[in-house]
Amino acid sequence: MRSLYVYNTLSRDRELFEPETPPFVGMYVCGPTVYGEGHLGHARPAVTFDLIYRYLLHLGYRVRYVRNITDVGHLENDADEGEDKIAKKARLEQVEPMEVAQRYTNSYRENMRALNVLSPGIEPLASGHIPEQIAYVERILEAGYAYVVDGSVYFDVEKYNADHPYGILSGRRIDELQTSTRQLDGQDEKRSSLDFALWKKASPEHIMRWKSPWSDGFPGWHMECTAMGTKYLGETFDIHGGGMDLLFPHHEAEIAQAVAATGKKPVKYWLHNNMITINGQKMGKSLGNFITLNEFFSGEHKSLTQAYDPMVIRFFILQAHYRSTLDFTNEALQAAGKGLKRLFEGVNTLKNLSHTGKASFDAAQLEAQCHQAMCDDFNSPVALAHLFDGLRYINQVKDGKATIDQHTLDHLRTIYNTFLHEIFGLTSEESGNPDVLNRVMETLINLRNDARKNKDFATSDKIRDELAAAGIVMKDSKEGTTWQFEG
RNA sequence: GGUCUCGUGGCCGAGUGGCUAGGCAGCGGUCUGCAAAACCGCCUACAGCGGUUCGAUUCCGCUCGAGACCUCCA
């Protein structure tokens, strides 16, 4: 198996990837909170970890991929006074909380399918794992790292820090944190402002609630990932992923919870994708540049000049390294769209090529370069650059300016299929055209070429222009005329 | 205010102590009845100021600028 290096946030460095029990890999990724439409911010981690998942599978690992659906109990900001996000939305819309969660879960899954993101092996719901979460809180209480106040359970960060360093992931220090935390709901109950809730007692108007030994309430917002990760991947597993914004406090709290309960560090490799911006600005509900995925796909948003194919968004994301910030602009997306189209056309060319002689290109080297890039912390932009380099050779062969042998031809086909489709998950919507359409087009092409031969360009151009108006493009080359649908 | 990340050519984005990705746009050419596509060539940048070095875009320091987290968010 190839040597894969991944950037581990825990060490702030690239490390050789060595799973606990190869060939098995346990991977947990923080999924969406389903209280609203999927947006651009959801696409980045989904595509990033889809790439990682696909590449690990390609390398021969057997991956158990868990991505949760958060459908309970995250606290809102002070304007909402600790009200549950989903409950709040439900009241506004006068429906059951689980109905809201279901609707947006469905919507999220549809978006993921459009982006060709593979389904995780397990997609657990937080609401379906309340007993596991309660049991986990009990373990932490038994270990002495939590305390109960009026039906709520809080994690005792200072006590924990005395035995285990708190902040190993985010690089934060407890004394620095103490001075920079602000007042939140329930603060007076906590011994320290740093402590976080493991279980929250529900206020009377709070409609999402479950029974527990401490109160009718709901789990703290770091609890579900710890409980469900443990349940499906064990007390220690290989990869935990998510957005950089989750680094603190969410992932830090997850480590503390697990160490408090088990004495073991739960995760070997912490992987974090960077954030996206829109026109150089952070995307935020308050900034008015919040674009949902459906708006992207339809183009219905005031800051979009056109609709974007989900594959273009996927390709755009893959063209940047996952640990860099990525800026979405119309210009950049359009550029990506053209690049992607060129790539697909090259693959199509490759499909129709036949061997012509000696190859003047080293396909094995191309393959090695692509893998080298991917093994260096999943550097998809560099791998894509190599594929574009190969494209030039393919087109030269098409133009008769280079030659290719059968072996190289087969090898290139395998490489492009493997990387573009299998690993990058890029698909062209070359839906198998019905035979009848191919026959019709063949006829039209023949008619037009007859006209061209007779220098009846009025007729030949009429055929081409009218087909163009219908969305079909004709392309003349030495080998003859080809056609395709064009947007 | 604290912690951290980053600043690359018209735009997007890799990467490196000397050999300086890739995409898009632009310009010139080849091909073509024309067009499109493709191919060839050109445009060769690393915020600013110091320092280390034979040599720095790449290492160090400072300045300026942007962003993330600390507080719901991917």
Side-chain angles (χ1 to χ4, degrees):
Chain A
M1 206 172 276
R2 293 170 194 280
S3 295
L4 171 67
Y5 288 84
V6 302
Y7 183 91
N8 189 350
T9 307
L10 211 46
S11 63
R12 313 255 159 182
D13 207 358
R14 281 185 180 84
E15 292 177 18
L16 179 64
F17 180 67
E18 293 176 301
E20 262 180 75
T21 50
F24 300 97
V25 172
M27 177 160 93
Y28 188 97
V29 174
C30 291
T33 303
V34 282
Y35 68 99
E37 285 278 308
H39 53 77
L40 208 45
H42 290 116
R44 186 97 196 258
V47 170
T48 295
F49 290 101
D50 187 52
L51 173 74
I52 290 171
Y53 180 43
R54 285 168 179 269
Y55 196 61
L56 289 172
L57 290 176
H58 176 79
L59 290 180
Y61 288 110
R62 294 182 56 189
V63 186
R64 180 175 290 168
Y65 178 17
V66 179
R67 189 185 60 206
N68 63 299
I69 297 279
T70 297
D71 58 351
V72 301
H74 282 196
L75 297 177
E76 284 267 65
N77 60 28
D78 51 359
D80 301 294
E81 284 300 317
E83 188 175 17
D84 189 280
K85 265 183 202 163
I86 291 169
K88 184 187 170 214
K89 190 91 180 175
R91 196 170 320 143
L92 289 174
E93 300 183 7
Q94 295 298 312
V95 290
E96 275 298 316
M98 289 315 283
E99 195 178 351
V100 174
Q102 183 70 56
R103 181 196 308 159
Y104 291 123
T105 300
N106 292 345
S107 167
Y108 178 78
R109 288 183 178 143
E110 268 169 42
N111 289 160
M112 292 303 109
R113 218 177 351 262
L115 290 167
N116 200 23
V117 168
L118 298 175
S119 297
I122 302 176
E123 204 171 21
L125 302 180
S127 64
H129 296 75
I130 301 295
E132 287 87 346
Q133 298 185 67
I134 289 171
Y136 213 101
V137 174
E138 282 174 330
R139 282 182 79 178
I140 297 173
L141 273 168
E142 278 162 27
Y145 291 107
Y147 54 92
V148 182
V149 180
D150 188 29
S152 291
V153 186
Y154 295 99
F155 190 89
D156 191 335
V157 171
E158 280 184 55
K159 169 123 196 265
Y160 173 84
N161 190 56
D163 303 332
H164 312 276
Y166 180 76
I168 53 170
L169 183 65
S170 60
R172 273 159 220 273
R173 293 161 48 103
I174 191 164
D175 48 321
E176 284 163 354
L177 285 166
Q178 241 134 13
T179 55
S180 60
T181 317
R182 63 169 205 183
Q183 288 295 307
L184 267 176
D185 179 47
Q187 197 86 309
D188 45 342
E189 289 186 344
K190 296 198 280 185
R191 291 183 192 162
S192 159
S193 56
L194 297 175
D195 296 350
F196 53 87
L198 299 176
W199 185 266
K200 264 304 248 184
K201 180 179 168 181
S203 52
E205 65 275 17
H206 199 109
I207 49 179
M208 282 192 109
R209 53 171 67 208
W210 291 267
K211 286 201 187 307
S212 80
W214 313 287
S215 63
D216 278 12
F218 52 94
W221 74 287
H222 312 302
M223 202 63 243
E224 62 176 277
C225 293
T226 300
M228 299 193 296
T230 304
K231 172 164 183 173
Y232 296 113
L233 301 172
E235 289 186 350
T236 61
F237 54 92
D238 301 302
I239 296 175
H240 190 126
M244 270 182 177
D245 55 325
L246 295 177
L247 225 148
F248 189 90
H250 185 54
H251 291 159
E252 199 69 74
E254 278 188 52
I255 291 175
Q257 287 171 342
V259 172
T262 69
K264 289 180 278 195
K265 291 201 182 98
V267 175
K268 192 166 181 190
Y269 305 97
W270 286 90
L271 271 46
H272 291 96
N273 63 275
N274 214 318
M275 302 292 102
I276 58 131
T277 52
I278 294 177
N279 298 315
Q281 255 201 323
K282 173 190 177 173
M283 185 178 86
K285 283 155 219 168
S286 51
L287 293 169
N289 62 350
F290 194 84
I291 309 181
T292 69
L293 287 168
N294 286 328
E295 285 167 340
F296 253 102
F297 301 159
S298 70
E300 283 162 13
H301 189 280
K302 62 180 183 339
S303 53
L304 298 176
T305 56
Q306 63 168 84
Y308 295 99
D309 188 284
M311 274 308 116
V312 170
I313 292 171
R314 185 175 175 107
F315 177 70
F316 184 63
I317 290 172
L318 293 173
Q319 243 188 338
H321 185 83
Y322 76 93
R323 284 191 294 108
S324 300
T325 53
L326 178 61
D327 190 38
F328 277 74
T329 61
N330 281 292
E331 204 185 355
L333 281 166
Q334 281 156 14
K338 286 181 190 168
L340 179 62
K341 190 180 142 218
R342 226 186 109 212
L343 213 44
F344 281 152
E345 284 182 3
V347 171
N348 204 37
T349 300
L350 188 60
K351 199 184 294 171
N352 300 322
L353 234 45
S354 43
H355 69 278
T356 52
K358 240 186 175 159
S360 51
F361 185 84
D362 190 345
Q365 192 191 329
L366 173 68
E367 185 177 34
Q369 285 171 323
C370 288
H371 278 297
Q372 206 179 320
M374 286 303 290
C375 282
D376 183 13
D377 197 28
F378 312 103
N379 200 329
S380 54
V382 167
L384 281 167
H386 291 309
L387 292 176
F388 272 107
D389 284 337
L391 210 59
R392 198 167 304 125
Y393 169 66
I394 291 167
N395 283 324
Q396 280 174 343
V397 173
K398 182 188 77 173
D399 280 7
K401 289 172 180 164
T403 52
I404 193 165
D405 58 43
Q406 190 61 45
H407 177 259
T408 303
L409 192 53
D410 292 340
H411 198 175
L412 281 176
R413 282 175 181 151
T414 304
I415 292 168
Y416 279 82
N417 184 56
T418 301
F419 276 91
L420 246 37
H421 298 136
E422 200 182 305
I423 295 172
F424 294 143
L426 297 167
T427 55
S428 53
E429 71 296 5
E430 39 165 319
S431 49
N433 294 317
D435 262 3
V436 62
L437 181 57
N438 282 325
R439 298 270 290 275
V440 170
M441 285 307 300
E442 210 176 300
T443 306
L444 283 168
I445 285 169
N446 288 338
L447 278 173
R448 174 162 168 273
N449 283 338
D450 287 345
R452 290 172 72 203
K453 251 175 243 161
N454 300 328
K455 301 223 187 286
D456 179 7
F457 297 125
T459 302
S460 67
D461 285 355
K462 189 179 179 192
I463 292 172
R464 184 176 66 194
D465 294 346
E466 291 192 0
L467 282 172
I472 290 172
V473 179
M474 294 182 124
K475 292 179 180 177
D476 300 327
S477 74
K478 276 191 193 120
E479 284 75 38
T481 303
T482 58
W483 68 276
Q484 67 186 87
F485 289 113
E486 190 46 56

